[in-house]
Amino acid sequence: MGSRAPRVLLVLAILAVACVLPFTVSNFRLFQFTQVYIYAIAILGLNMLTGYNGQFSLGHGAFYAMGAYVSAIMMDKWNIHYAWTIPVAGVLCLIVGFLFGLPALRLEGLYLALATFSLALAVPQILKYFEHWTGGSQGLVLSKPGAPFGIKLNPDQWLYFVTLAVMALLFWLSANLLRGRVGRAIVAIRDNHIAAEAMGVNTSLYKSLVFGVSAAYTGVAGALSASAIAYVAPDSFNIFLSITLLIGAVIGGLASISGAVFGAFFIQFVPNWAQDISKAAPWAIFGIFLIVFMYVMPFGIAGAIRLLWIRTRRSRVALTPEARDTAHSQAPRTT
Amino acid sequence: MEIFVQQVVSGLATGGIYAALALALVMIYQATDVVNFAQGEMAMFATYLCWTMLNAGVPYWGAFVGTLVLAFLGGVIVERVVIRPVEGAPILSIVIVTLGLLVIFNSVAGWIWSYVQKPFPSPFPSTPVKAGNIFFGSHDIGQIFVTLIVLACIWMFFKFTPLGLAMRAAAHNPVSSRLVGIRVGWMLAMGWGLAAVFGAVAGMMVAPVLTLEPNMMGGVQIYAFAGATLGGFTSPGGAVLGGFIVGVVENLVGTYVSFIGTELKFTVALGMIIVVLLVKPTGLFGTRIVKRV
Amino acid sequence: MTFTRRCMSLLLGTALLATALVPAADAQTVVGVTATEIKVGNTNPYSGPASAYGTIGKVIGAYFKKVNEEGGINGRKINYITYDDGYSPPKTVEMVRKLVEQDQVAVLFQTLGTPPNSAIHKYMNQQKVPHLFVATGATKWNDPKNFPWTMGYQPNYQTEGRIYAGDVLKNHPNAKVGILYQNDDYGKDYLKGFEDGLGEAGKKLIVMKQSYEVTDPTIDSQIVNLKNSGATVFFNITIPKFAVQAIKKAHDIGWKPVHYLNNVSSSLGTVLKPAGFEASKGLITALYMKEVTDPQWRNDKGFQEWVAFMKKYYPEGALDQQENAYGYNVAILMTHVLKQAGNDLSRENIMRQAANLKNVELPMLLPGIKVNTSPTDFAPIEQEQLARFNGEKWDLYGEIFDAFRRQ
């Protein structure tokens, strides 16, 4: 298939634009873009679990919170440099996610969703309880990191680049993972659990591992957000966060890596637009956006793009048996 | 002993509210495999309609019944107009649509009636009921009775009327139902209508206690989810029992498990549900769905 | 179109988009101020769990509209820009950055909530933007040495807690004390003040503490537990929604302690009436404002001015909601500061004026309570008075406590 090279070029081109951005837009916009990248990492984590592996999670905000607080506590209590807190948050979330994934094996679709929902609901109360570590409801005030070695970048620009780098790395890892054997096994488990098991895939191990990796990604996003906002408090991590991440994943497009980025842009900017449109009932506008999006693009933005891509290619290519097979294998693989 | 009984009765009263909303959630889930996240907000909206009627001078029980009718119509309309177009879409996309509804109902209610909390009347007397040494709120007792009456009516409807039978058939096996001539689409819509009715009952019963405001049902819906999960989403009776159990157990945990006290009460309630799920993955009374290969 | 051309057009489009996001250069010398307007920024929870407080942001807007219609401040109109933060600190940070960096406001005022304000505390001081009259009762906003740009407004919760503790020690030294508190910074702040006020004696006096979450449907269970602990004094730290439940339930189960109710829920209209005036007899609270549903202020000049203002400029606002009087008061204070700054509306001078308020009277404050600030005192209102509910109104009694004098 000769379609890898143009895709890689497209990604590199977008990365190039992203690198130029900090020198052309205001700090405030950079702050918003940084937030978009953070959400994109979090949503990719959720997407791997729910989109590719079919395990519904309504509680990924819990891992985001965990990553944020691990990072915050390390910086606040032990004065550890923020850069080290990010991988530590990731590893801790990986372990916790994996451990959560083990009993989750017993739960099907809806019940897993509700169990994760419950987990996320309990987060604010748990955070407030361990006041000594978490600062309780007052939260922890942190410092925004500045550029090291005297590099001439302001904190917003520096953090933007750090986040962009982490995002690029994690997305690249994810792409490699999901496009290979492992990815096919993961999707196979989602599409037909029993057949996958029969074909020799160790479904239990894979499912728990995906849970762990998914939690790790979202935890890293949380850790980055602790530095970006420079403040953590239980109010920032209520159930609405988990729901927002889910919205981002579905709107962006499940089972799609680029979908995570689209979803992130949506959840960051559309509420602001809604506020601009209507001061009186902005969330009603947002709700309408959600419903209309699902009518027009039930497979999310990435799904809609994929469909469009196939249609334009199909019209140009003669429908030989080989072409038909290619078109089929590229159809949206979501439920 | 006294405090135990008091907490249990208190728990049953709030549990009744959770049970009514849990039943609504399960009804829709059974028919469509969709969890309606907007159930609580629809209930809240119906309660505001009742408030508007009461303010216009309509007597309480008249407004109560009027609200049930409006809620039923509202549920039917929402299903036909909003949910029908995405019926074939992936489950999570439909969930997003219900989330959109949630946000719309909440925001519109705040816009029309403002976010200021409003007192809502209770049809029951304000003097407490005394049994021995124990005081019970009249509203609590009344609430339990109303919930049970409504549940009984619905049970009779489903068990003994042809329409109820048709609805059950449509939910259980839509393909065969169509073959027998049942208008499955309209059965679904009626299911949403009935679910909205339960929600409205829950809303009107809980509003005197919580005071009426757009965010009133948020906490209740969460507990309703917990109840339905505990009881099993595939069992309406289980969901109802689950709601009652959640109400009672939460109160007892807060009272008797002193090292936890009230600062982790909610967490413990949720934790218990997760533990139950680990032992019985489809809830206490749910049935396992066996997949054929 | 070949692939390369598609790529180039994408790049071009993105570059164009990026340049469109560059803000126009600002040619003003004083930020947020022109010859005809002053930009005042604000965030409030217009949606989400705290949306009931969103009316404060609205009533402030209504008051500024009145000021503008009456000619403005020294000839300049107030351009009031307010955004919704949904009580979520990350959103507050984003909206405040927008106000400061994009909208270029002169001052930020009455941002609401302790977590939202904590999130922007450092930022506002780094950016050197006046962060005035924050709408929270937390104690940490009075710190001019470390945070010279941030100023509080209302009497803080800890002070009020201490006032009640003092009353308990004086009048009920052998009581058994039970406390119900909301499990967040507001509840815990009151609790701390109360416990600090009781001091060593507190350890013996307090027999039970019960908490609840804002998302809990009811607190009946906690009230039952408190009664059963044998408490004879009850400190009730709840927001209006739960205060109604607490008062009603206590009455229903026949529990009649000495009942201290926190100021936040002292409204006749939204709390005492729904709970029942009979059930509310004997409640004690500390007030600093005239309570809007209290009949004793019916003929008071300040109260009548407020009602007239509400009817003309904010008719959709509720006349029985205390927040609308609160917002009115603080908007008047902000206008006063801007007037006092005269023609020098630089951020430094606005801050200087805010730190130089001497015995300013606001129409909805209790008689005898005045606003005072100085370069070492960033707490504008520090006086409160105890009141007891007699079944019809709040009977003010005792002296006006002044936290500043007690320091």
Side-chain angles (χ1 to χ4, degrees):
Chain A
M1 279 211 301
S3 63
R4 284 298 295 276
R7 218 186 201 143
V8 171
L9 273 176
L10 182 63
V11 170
L12 285 175
I14 295 177
L15 266 179
V17 171
C19 289
V20 166
L21 217 59
F23 307 106
T24 57
V25 301
S26 67
N27 285 335
F28 169 65
R29 283 281 176 227
L30 271 187
F31 171 74
Q32 287 184 313
F33 273 96
T34 309
Q35 193 61 51
V36 169
Y37 298 160
I38 290 174
Y39 281 143
I41 298 172
I43 293 175
L44 182 57
L46 177 58
N47 216 336
M48 284 195 284
L49 185 67
T50 298
Y52 283 95
N53 196 227
Q55 298 190 68
F56 289 177
S57 167
L58 252 56
H60 255 52
F63 298 118
Y64 191 91
M66 200 179 137
Y69 267 91
V70 164
S71 173
I73 293 173
M74 286 172 76
M75 289 194 281
D76 183 72
K77 293 258 178 301
W78 301 313
N79 270 320
I80 297 178
H81 186 59
Y82 73 97
W84 295 118
T85 67
I86 297 172
V88 170
V91 168
L92 275 174
C93 287
L94 176 72
I95 297 173
V96 171
F98 181 82
L99 291 175
F100 195 84
L102 289 173
L105 291 171
R106 291 174 59 89
L107 301 173
E108 287 288 314
L110 172 69
Y111 292 95
L112 177 60
L114 290 172
T116 51
F117 191 65
S118 306
L119 176 71
L121 281 173
V123 164
Q125 211 182 40
I126 295 176
L127 289 172
K128 285 189 277 196
Y129 189 74
F130 294 104
E131 231 180 319
H132 176 67
W133 293 96
T134 63
S137 12
Q138 295 271 358
L140 294 171
V141 180
L142 309 161
S143 305
K144 202 153 178 165
F149 319 123
I151 300 178
K152 287 247 173 74
L153 291 171
N154 65 45
D156 288 308
Q157 290 169 324
W158 172 244
L159 204 62
Y160 173 91
F161 278 119
V162 169
T163 311
L164 183 62
V166 172
M167 180 176 132
L169 174 66
L170 289 178
F171 269 64
W172 180 76
L173 277 173
S174 196
N176 276 336
L177 196 72
L178 293 167
R179 296 228 168 93
R181 261 188 67 234
V182 175
R184 284 199 292 276
I186 290 172
V187 172
I189 294 173
R190 179 197 73 195
D191 287 340
N192 198 327
H193 194 277
I194 298 165
E197 187 85 51
M199 294 219 299
V201 175
N202 187 343
T203 55
S204 307
L205 184 64
Y206 270 102
K207 282 173 86 167
S208 305
L209 275 176
V210 172
F211 220 111
V213 171
S214 156
Y217 270 56
T218 307
V220 164
L224 285 166
S225 81
S227 292
I229 310 281
Y231 177 70
V232 288
D235 281 297
S236 313
F237 304 107
N238 55 31
I239 191 62
F240 193 60
L241 174 64
S242 294
I243 293 182
T244 306
L245 291 177
L246 183 73
I247 289 176
V250 177
I251 296 262
L254 286 173
S256 143
I257 294 178
S258 56
V261 179
F262 294 128
F265 271 100
F266 187 89
I267 60 179
Q268 172 61 33
F269 288 110
V270 173
N272 292 352
W273 296 344
Q275 224 189 123
D276 289 336
I277 295 176
S278 159
K279 256 292 161 62
W283 286 103
I285 305 288
F286 182 74
I288 293 175
F289 263 113
L290 286 182
I291 295 181
V292 167
F293 256 85
M294 287 294 96
Y295 282 5
V296 173
M297 313 183 205
F299 295 102
I301 299 175
I305 292 180
R306 225 185 249 147
L307 273 167
L308 216 71
W309 185 248
I310 291 174
R311 267 197 216 128
T312 51
R313 282 181 103 229
R314 209 181 261 171
S315 64
R316 288 196 300 136
V317 175
L319 279 176
T320 60
E322 297 84 42
R324 235 180 286 137
D325 287 339
T326 319
H328 256 282
S329 70
Q330 285 186 335
R333 288 202 229 94
T334 51
T335 344
Chain B
M1 187 54 201
E2 189 183 291
I3 183 177
F4 178 78
V5 177
Q6 225 156 16
Q7 294 288 26
V8 167
V9 172
S10 213
L12 284 175
T14 39
I17 305 297
Y18 306 152
L21 205 61
L23 185 60
L25 289 169
V26 168
M27 272 196 70
I28 292 187
Y29 178 73
Q30 279 218 284
T32 58
D33 269 352
V34 170
V35 176
N36 180 13
F37 277 91
Q39 202 68 58
E41 304 307 296
M42 287 167 70
M44 173 272 297
F45 203 85
T47 314
Y48 265 108
L49 292 176
C50 186
W51 181 86
T52 311
M53 282 190 265
L54 289 172
N55 258 27
V58 182
Y60 183 87
W61 291 110
F64 187 88
V65 173
T67 306
L68 295 184
V69 171
L70 284 174
F72 181 80
L73 287 172
V76 169
I77 293 174
V78 164
E79 201 280 330
R80 292 275 85 188
V81 172
V82 180
I83 305 295
R84 189 131 169 283
V86 283
E87 242 161 34
I91 293 281
L92 280 180
S93 303
I94 307 182
V95 166
I96 298 293
V97 169
T98 64
L99 284 173
L101 279 172
L102 184 166
V103 159
I104 290 175
F105 273 113
N106 186 291
S107 190
V108 169
W111 177 50
I112 299 178
W113 292 288
S114 94
Y115 287 95
V116 180
Q117 63 206 55
K118 301 176 177 2
F120 192 87
S122 163
F124 309 109
S126 56
T127 46
V129 170
K130 208 170 154 186
N133 246 348
I134 318 173
F135 289 88
F136 300 112
S138 304
H139 183 86
D140 282 352
I141 310 272
Q143 199 169 276
I144 298 178
F145 274 113
V146 168
T147 314
L148 289 175
I149 291 174
V150 170
L151 291 174
C153 288
I154 294 302
W155 181 78
M156 285 194 292
F157 169 76
F158 275 118
K159 193 92 198 242
F160 300 119
T161 64
L163 186 55
L165 181 61
M167 284 179 70
R168 277 191 290 143
H172 186 71
N173 195 333
V175 177
S176 304
S177 304
R178 275 201 190 93
L179 289 174
V180 194
I182 295 175
R183 308 270 306 271
V184 169
W186 281 105
M187 293 298 114
L188 281 184
M190 284 191 63
W192 273 70
L194 274 180
V197 166
F198 296 146
V201 170
M204 290 188 285
M205 284 295 106
V206 92
V209 180
L210 296 185
T211 70
L212 181 60
E213 44 137 3
N215 295 325
M216 173 179 84
M217 294 302 272
V220 176
Q221 180 161 297
I222 287 170
Y223 280 92
F225 271 122
T229 308
L230 181 68
F233 255 87
T234 50
S235 159
V240 167
L241 255 167
F244 279 113
I245 295 176
V246 166
V248 172
V249 170
E250 227 225 343
N251 276 5
L252 294 180
V253 164
T255 310
Y256 292 108
V257 191
S258 55
F259 76 88
I260 291 176
T262 39
E263 281 198 8
L264 274 185
K265 196 167 85 143
F266 187 48
T267 305
V268 169
L270 294 171
M272 276 174 29
I273 293 175
I274 296 189
V275 167
V276 168
L277 282 181
L278 292 179
V279 174
K280 284 217 82 194
T282 48
L284 288 175
F285 305 101
T287 47
R288 286 225 79 161
I289 298 171
V290 180
K291 269 203 206 128
R292 288 222 204 98
V293 183
Chain C
M1 234 196 326
T2 63
F3 174 73
T4 342
R5 259 195 236 146
R6 236 181 263 175
C7 238
M8 293 307 297
S9 50
L10 177 69
L11 259 171
L12 188 64
T14 323
L16 277 173
L17 182 68
T19 52
L21 297 170
V22 175
D26 224 342
Q28 296 156 200
T29 44
V30 179
V31 187
V33 180
T34 66
T36 52
E37 75 166 18
I38 309 171
K39 280 198 198 150
V40 174
N42 167 274
T43 61
N44 239 231
Y46 295 111
S47 68
S51 47
Y53 294 119
T55 190
I56 297 177
K58 294 197 187 130
V59 75
I60 291 173
Y63 185 76
F64 286 157
K65 189 159 147 233
K66 171 174 187 281
V67 169
N68 288 343
E69 278 185 17
E70 293 171 355
I73 300 181
N74 294 327
R76 292 185 177 88
K77 301 250 154 78
I78 300 178
N79 183 355
Y80 174 63
I81 308 175
T82 175
Y83 292 128
D84 178 19
D85 71 348
Y87 210 80
S88 169
K91 205 67 184 169
T92 316
V93 171
E94 189 192 337
M95 291 296 120
V96 164
R97 287 196 66 163
K98 185 169 182 204
L99 286 166
V100 169
E101 295 173 39
Q102 205 171 65
D103 297 316
Q104 307 251 311
V105 296
V107 308
L108 193 69
F109 137 81
Q110 262 277 306
T111 40
L112 195 144
T114 305
N117 275 299
S118 300
I120 56 174
H121 202 190
K122 252 197 209 164
Y123 172 78
M124 293 302 289
N125 284 272
Q126 278 165 357
Q127 297 284 317
K128 300 197 175 29
V129 180
H131 181 202
L132 297 177
F133 310 141
V134 294
T136 113
T139 322
K140 61 182 177 184
W141 315 115
N142 181 9
D143 189 1
K145 209 168 76 173
N146 297 311
F147 294 99
W149 294 89
T150 303
M151 185 181 288
Y153 167 71
Q154 64 221 54
N156 67 63
Y157 299 142
Q158 285 190 25
T159 303
E160 191 181 326
R162 273 181 213 264
I163 292 175
Y164 299 134
D167 201 67
V168 170
L169 287 174
K170 194 166 96 177
N171 296 317
H172 312 279
N174 295 315
K176 296 201 183 124
V177 178
I179 309 173
L180 174 65
Y181 65 98
Q182 185 161 300
N183 186 17
D184 65 1
D185 53 273
Y186 138 82
K188 291 232 164 123
D189 230 8
Y190 266 117
L191 184 64
K192 180 166 194 299
F194 189 68
E195 284 182 320
D196 285 350
L198 289 179
E200 273 308 300
K203 299 200 176 69
K204 274 181 282 149
L205 289 171
I206 300 176
V207 294
M208 182 178 271
K209 287 192 275 196
Q210 295 272 291
S211 72
Y212 70 94
E213 304 288 331
V214 160
T215 47
D216 281 352
T218 84
I219 46 139
D220 283 359
S221 155
Q222 283 89 331
I223 299 292
V224 169
N225 289 341
L226 282 165
K227 177 189 177 201
N228 273 281
S229 70
T232 54
V233 167
F234 174 37
F235 182 20
N236 184 352
I237 312 170
T238 54
I239 54 177
K241 189 162 110 160
F242 296 101
V244 173
Q245 284 185 30
I247 298 168
K248 239 200 223 162
K249 188 73 182 177
H251 177 74
D252 276 355
I253 59 175
W255 185 37
K256 292 179 175 39
V258 176
H259 189 151
Y260 292 94
L261 179 64
N262 71 118
N263 173 281
V264 170
S265 295
S266 56
S267 162
L268 261 87
T270 47
V271 176
L272 302 187
K273 183 148 159 249
F277 281 156
E278 261 309 300
S280 309
K281 244 194 195 157
L283 282 174
I284 301 173
T285 191
L287 298 172
Y288 68 98
M289 279 200 289
K290 296 170 188 160
E291 210 281 298
V292 295
T293 50
D294 196 324
Q296 69 183 301
W297 306 115
R298 205 102 301 160
N299 295 319
D300 176 85
K301 185 163 150 273
F303 177 76
Q304 288 175 335
E305 277 173 13
W306 174 72
V307 173
F309 153 75
M310 288 290 289
K311 292 209 168 119
K312 183 160 181 218
Y313 291 97
Y314 190 35
E316 66 269 28
L319 285 172
D320 62 358
Q321 216 192 353
Q322 193 65 25
E323 282 84 10
N324 289 331
Y326 171 95
Y328 176 70
N329 260 358
V330 76
I332 293 177
L333 187 63
M334 186 71 232
T335 312
H336 178 96
V337 167
L338 290 173
K339 269 205 189 106
Q340 206 172 281
N343 245 328
D344 178 5
L345 287 162
S346 64
R347 286 170 170 168
E348 291 78 16
N349 194 32
I350 294 179
M351 204 59 218
R352 212 175 299 130
Q353 299 309 320
N356 189 16
L357 298 167
K358 296 281 169 267
N359 289 326
V360 177
E361 291 190 11
L362 300 173
M364 288 304 283
L365 287 179
L366 284 177
I369 294 186
K370 305 194 216 279
V371 173
N372 274 294
T373 58
S374 80
T376 50
D377 170 24
F378 272 23
I381 305 177
E382 292 177 280
Q383 300 163 298
E384 285 183 287
Q385 192 171 9
L386 284 174
R388 189 177 284 116
F389 187 66
N390 65 8
E392 280 175 15
K393 64 183 182 69
W394 286 111
D395 267 337
L396 295 159
Y397 71 95
E399 51 169 32
I400 295 181
F401 282 78
D402 190 332
F404 184 64
R405 269 194 285 115
R406 261 152 225 271
Q407 264 162 23

